[in-house]
C-alpha cells in the first residue's frame, strides 16, 4: 500500500494533523519508527534560519512561554493512545513501532526557558508508563545553547537518551550560507565537545545540491577536519538531504541529493573518519 495513504508517513511532518499544541507524532526515517515529537517552538521561531528548513513561516527569535501542565497532559494522552490503543496500526504502515520521544519541532528546543522542566516532565511520564530504558528521549538540536542546558542534557543521558547535534558544514562561509548565521566555529566546537562529554551524541548533517552542484571535496575536507577530533567519541553521523520541501526563501537553488550522491559522500568521509555513518536518502 502507498505509504502516503497513512496519516503518518516520512514525507509529511505536519505538526498539526492531530491537533495537539505541543505534541505531534511523526514517522521518522532516522529514529526508525514512530517518533513522538515535542514542539517547544509553537511560534515557529528559531535562532537559525537554515535554507532547507521545512518550517512554514519560520521567524528569528525565541519560543513563547510554555504551558508545562498542558504539555504534560498532552504527552500523557499521546502515550496512552500509543501504548493502549490501536493508534499506530490505524495510522502508520505495517510493523511501525514506537521509537522515541523527541524534542524537535518548529525551532530550537533548547532556546526555551522551560526546556529542563519539559525534560523532567517527560521523564516523569516515561516512569508512569513503564517506558524507562525502553523508549529513549532524543534532543534534536542545532547545539547553540548546549552550554546553558547541561543539567537537562545530563538528565537525558541518565535515562539512556541521546542528542542529535547539527553540523551541516565545517567552515564559516558554508555555515553562513546554509544555516544563515554568523558562526563562531570555536563556540560550535566547544558545544559539541561539551555535548559529547555528557551524553551519547550523533552528529546530524544535512547536505544539499546547491545551484546544481553537490558538496565539493573542499567542502567535505573542511567538514572532516571539523568532525575528526570528535570521531572516536561520537555514536555516529547521520547524513541526509532534503526530505521534505523547504519553506525558506533563498538566493540559491537547493535540491535533494540522491542515493548515489549520498553514498559517494559517505564513502569520502569514511575514508578519513573512522565512525559509523548512516545515510538517509
Ligand atoms: S536549526 Fe532546525 S528549526 Fe532552526 S532553522 Fe535550522 S532546520 Fe529550522
Amino acid at each position: 500500500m502507498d505509504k502516503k495513504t497513512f496519516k503518518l508517513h516520512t514525507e509529511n511532518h505536519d505538526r498539526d494533523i492531530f491537533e495537539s499544541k505541543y505534541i505531534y507524532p511523526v514517522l521518522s526515517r532516522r529514529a526508525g519508527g514512530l517518533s513522538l515529537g515535542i514542539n517547544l517552538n509553537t511560534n515557529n521561531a528559531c535562532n537559525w534560519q537554515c535554507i532547507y528548513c521545512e518550517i512554514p513561516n519560520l521567524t528569528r527569535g525565541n519560543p513563547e512561554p510554555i504551558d508545562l501542565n498542558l504539555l504534560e497532559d498532552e504527552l500523557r494522552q499521546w502515550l496512552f493512545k500509543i501504548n493502549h490503543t490501536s493508534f499506530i496500526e490505524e495510522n502508520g504502515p505495517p510493523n511501525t513501532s514506537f521509537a522515541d520521544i523527541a524534542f524537535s519541532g518548529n525551532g530550537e528546543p533548547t532556546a526555551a526557558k522551560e526546556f529542563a522542566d519539559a525534560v523532567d516532565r517527560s521523564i516523569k511520564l516515561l516512569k508512569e508508563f513503564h517506558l524507562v530504558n525502553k523508549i529513549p528521549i532524543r534532543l534534536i538540536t542545532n547545539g547553540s545553547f548546549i552550554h546553558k542546558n547541561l543539567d537537562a542534557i545530563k538528565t537525558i543521558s541518565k535515562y539512556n537518551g541521546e542528542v542529535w547535534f547539527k553540523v551541516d558544514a565545517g567552515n564559516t562561509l558554508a555555515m553562513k550560507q546554509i544555516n544563515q548565521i554568523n558562526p563562531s566555529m570555536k563556540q560550535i566546537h566547544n558545544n559539541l565537545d561539551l555535548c559529547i562529554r555528557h551524553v551519547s551524541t550523533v552528529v546530524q548533517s544535512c547536505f544539499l545540491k546547491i545551484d546544481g552542484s553537490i558538496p565539493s571535496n573542499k567542502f567535505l575536507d573542511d567538514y572532516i577536519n571539523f568532525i575528526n577530533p570528535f570521531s572516536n567519541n561520537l555514536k555516529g553521523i547521520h547524513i541526509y538531504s532534503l526530505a521534505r520541501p523547504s519553506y525558506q526563501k533563498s538566493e540559491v537553488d537547493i535540491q535533494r541529493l540522491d542515493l548515489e550522491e549520498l553514498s559517494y559522500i559517505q564513502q569520502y568521509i569514511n575514508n578519513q573518519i573512522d565512525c559509523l555513518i548512516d545515510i538517509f536518502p
Side-chain angles (χ1 to χ4, degrees):
M1 194 182 294
D2 183 346
K3 60 187 174 180
K4 291 188 182 179
T5 60
F6 296 103
K7 262 192 166 180
L8 296 172
H9 60 77
T10 54
E11 287 170 29
N12 178 9
H13 280 194
D14 187 341
R15 317 309 192 209
D16 299 326
I17 49 176
F18 292 107
E19 294 177 351
S20 293
K21 180 168 184 185
Y22 295 111
I23 312 297
Y24 62 98
V26 292
L27 203 58
S28 164
R29 296 177 301 162
R30 291 195 287 135
L34 182 131
S35 176
L36 200 50
I38 300 182
N39 177 20
L40 300 183
N41 308 75
T42 49
N43 57 353
N44 300 350
C46 189
N47 60 325
W48 290 20
Q49 204 149 32
C50 307
I51 54 176
Y52 57 81
C53 185
E54 64 192 59
I55 296 162
N57 306 315
L58 180 75
T59 57
R60 293 251 188 205
N62 295 313
E64 55 197 1
I66 312 290
D67 181 342
L68 285 165
N69 290 334
L70 176 61
L71 186 152
E72 183 179 327
D73 285 349
E74 286 186 359
L75 188 52
R76 183 176 287 105
Q77 284 166 21
W78 274 105
L79 287 172
F80 180 86
K81 208 181 277 200
I82 287 168
N83 286 289
H84 299 297
T85 75
S86 52
F87 173 81
I88 293 185
E89 289 80 3
E90 285 168 15
N91 293 284
N95 304 318
T96 299
S97 57
F98 183 22
D100 69 9
I101 293 175
F103 282 89
S104 179
N106 291 3
E108 173 50 40
T110 59
K113 289 193 186 78
E114 301 86 349
F115 174 67
D117 289 329
V119 169
D120 287 345
R121 301 254 184 157
S122 308
I123 300 291
K124 175 183 158 188
L125 287 168
L126 279 186
K127 290 177 180 169
E128 198 174 304
F129 282 83
H130 307 289
L131 293 171
V132 172
N133 294 332
K134 294 180 187 154
I135 296 295
I137 291 191
R138 290 203 167 96
L139 166 64
I140 301 178
T141 177
N142 63 29
S144 43
F145 302 113
I146 288 289
H147 55 301
K148 296 181 177 173
N149 287 282
L150 277 188
D151 286 343
I153 300 296
K154 287 179 194 167
T155 303
I156 290 172
S157 179
K158 184 175 167 194
Y159 290 92
N160 293 319
E162 62 186 25
V163 171
W164 290 358
F165 191 112
K166 185 187 293 297
V167 180
D168 292 331
N171 71 66
T172 309
L173 273 181
M175 283 193 87
K176 263 187 183 172
Q177 181 184 49
I178 295 166
N179 306 117
Q180 303 202 79
I181 52 169
N182 277 316
S184 153
M185 298 312 287
K186 188 166 188 305
Q187 177 80 59
I188 296 166
H189 175 103
N190 290 347
N191 275 349
L192 180 54
D193 186 51
L194 210 49
C195 193
I196 289 171
R197 285 173 195 273
H198 289 95
V199 66
S200 173
T201 303
V202 171
V203 161
Q204 50 165 1
S205 304
C206 182
F207 292 150
L208 304 163
K209 196 179 281 182
I210 297 181
D211 287 337
S213 300
I214 68 166
S216 66
N217 288 359
K218 160 82 171 72
F219 176 99
L220 295 176
D221 289 341
D222 287 346
Y223 174 86
I224 289 163
N225 289 337
F226 184 81
I227 297 293
N228 224 345
F230 305 107
S231 57
N232 287 339
N233 298 313
L234 283 176
K235 184 176 178 193
I237 299 176
H238 288 178
I239 296 177
Y240 55 102
S241 195
L242 270 186
R244 295 164 287 277
S246 167
Y247 281 92
Q248 313 316 316
K249 285 194 186 123
S250 168
E251 289 173 357
V252 291
D253 172 60
I254 59 171
Q255 288 170 21
R256 186 180 198 157
L257 295 169
D258 63 25
L259 174 61
E260 198 180 333
E261 291 159 341
L262 286 174
S263 299
Y264 167 79
I265 290 168
Q266 178 189 35
Q267 190 60 52
Y268 189 95
I269 296 172
N270 246 164
N271 285 343
Q272 297 179 66
I273 292 184
D274 187 18
C275 178
L276 181 68
I277 302 178
D278 290 309
I279 54 172
F280 298 88

